[in-house]
Amino acid sequence: MQESARRGQWMPGREAPDVELVQETRGAEPPLPRRRRRRGVALPVFSLLLFTGLLYAAWELISLAHVVPDFILPTPLQMAQDFGLELSRGDLLANAGVTLQEALGGFALAGVVAGVLGYAIARLRPLEVLVAPFIAASQAIPVVAVAPIIILLLGAGLLPKVLIGAVVVVFPLLITVVTGLRGVGRDYHDVARVFGASRLQTLLLVELPLAAPTLLSGLKLGLTLSIMGAVVGEFVAADSGLGFMISNAVGNFEVSTRYVALIALAIFSIALFGLVTLLERILLRWQDV
């Protein structure tokens, strides 16, 4: 009967308008996901443009009203000129590359630790009771206070900056992993067990896809926090990076250089957030079906 309806043939007990309705409905299905995708792309772009326009307008009004002296807050035109000058010299790109390397390294290290430990905590309730005091105590200690100790122990190279970034990121990622895995219903585990799936297959084919929305939200937060962790490490001891640019500019009273580095950090955060948002839309496309 269904085959005949697909071919548009009339069958006893089913009136012709029903077949036409099925055909019209089938023809109307494809545009919906496309429209959703267009909205999903246009809205973040519009939000970014709106944020940039409002920020520029507020900055320009403050400069024109002379609310803040120019040696504290330069005009947007002056900042654009200084930004272009730093780009032409190559210093900004070189320092930004160092900070990005430290941030991604810290995020990767934190991701491995949070993934392994989070999976174990999600599966073993007693482990959560044992680990919870250590996690709570670690979050009570400011990273700014721990960073000098890490620098003294490991030196001023790349490794301590990566470790500081991982310390900042690991707790949010750990909570995200535990929350996402525990949010998968027991029914899905039972079905996987009935079909003979191993623990690894259950993780890859059941738990990760269903926990993906939560995990990707944590990914957005973790990437932006990793940049902050890298900058904190550069504040303590570094000879390159955007954090070094800021601290060096403050010491030399170079106000414009400090704002250039801050703008570069904001661009980095927005770009990483946007990339993860794009990845989220690609991986979670099945939810629109």
Side-chain angles (χ1 to χ4, degrees):
M1 183 181 295
Q2 293 178 352
E3 285 295 326
S4 301
R6 289 195 193 99
R7 293 171 187 168
Q9 297 176 355
W10 179 83
M11 292 200 61
R14 183 184 294 253
E15 296 182 359
D18 291 339
V19 176
E20 293 175 0
L21 181 61
V22 170
Q23 292 176 344
E24 289 175 2
T25 306
R26 288 171 57 85
E29 284 176 1
L32 281 175
R34 287 178 195 163
R35 258 181 282 165
R36 282 180 192 164
R37 267 187 238 125
R38 283 174 192 163
R39 275 189 215 148
V41 173
L43 188 58
V45 173
F46 174 76
S47 176
L48 178 60
L49 292 176
L50 180 63
F51 169 76
T52 305
L54 291 176
L55 179 61
Y56 174 79
W59 193 347
E60 191 69 42
L61 287 174
I62 292 173
S63 300
L64 291 175
H66 299 288
V67 177
V68 181
D70 291 343
F71 65 87
I72 296 178
L73 182 65
T75 63
L77 179 60
Q78 183 181 350
M79 281 305 311
Q81 293 173 347
D82 293 337
F83 196 90
L85 181 61
E86 292 291 340
L87 277 177
S88 62
R89 287 178 182 170
D91 295 339
L92 181 60
L93 290 177
N95 288 308
V98 173
T99 301
L100 183 62
Q101 184 180 5
E102 295 167 352
L104 293 180
F107 175 79
L109 179 59
V112 173
V113 174
V116 175
L117 186 58
Y119 180 78
I121 291 175
R123 296 279 75 82
L124 303 173
R125 295 278 180 173
L127 183 61
E128 181 181 8
V129 179
L130 294 174
V131 176
F134 298 97
I135 296 176
S138 67
Q139 294 307 300
I141 302 173
V143 180
V144 179
V146 178
I149 300 175
I150 296 176
I151 297 292
L152 287 175
L153 291 174
L154 301 178
L158 177 65
L159 179 60
K161 314 298 191 314
V162 170
L163 189 57
I164 293 170
V167 170
V168 174
V169 178
V170 67
F171 180 72
L173 287 184
L174 179 62
I175 296 300
T176 300
V177 171
V178 175
T179 304
L181 293 180
R182 284 186 178 173
V184 179
R186 295 300 308 172
D187 295 340
Y188 296 102
H189 293 89
D190 295 339
V191 171
R193 198 177 302 112
V194 167
F195 280 95
S198 63
R199 282 188 176 272
L200 181 59
Q201 289 174 328
T202 303
L203 174 64
L204 296 178
L205 301 178
V206 177
E207 293 177 327
L208 287 182
L210 294 175
T214 304
L215 297 178
L216 289 169
S217 299
L219 188 65
K220 295 178 185 177
L221 177 64
L223 276 174
T224 52
L225 286 177
S226 65
I227 296 177
M228 184 186 71
V231 172
V232 169
E234 291 170 354
F235 278 159
V236 177
D239 56 2
S240 59
L242 294 176
F244 169 75
M245 277 186 68
I246 295 173
S247 60
N248 191 44
V250 171
N252 295 330
F253 299 99
E254 297 175 353
V255 179
S256 61
T257 304
R258 178 176 56 189
Y259 282 107
V260 166
L262 289 174
I263 292 173
L265 286 173
I267 292 173
F268 262 149
S269 297
I270 293 173
L272 291 175
F273 190 89
L275 287 175
V276 178
T277 302
L278 179 61
L279 178 65
E280 181 180 28
R281 296 190 183 281
I282 294 173
L283 294 180
L284 301 183
R285 190 178 298 172
W286 56 271
Q287 291 184 340
D288 296 331
V289 177

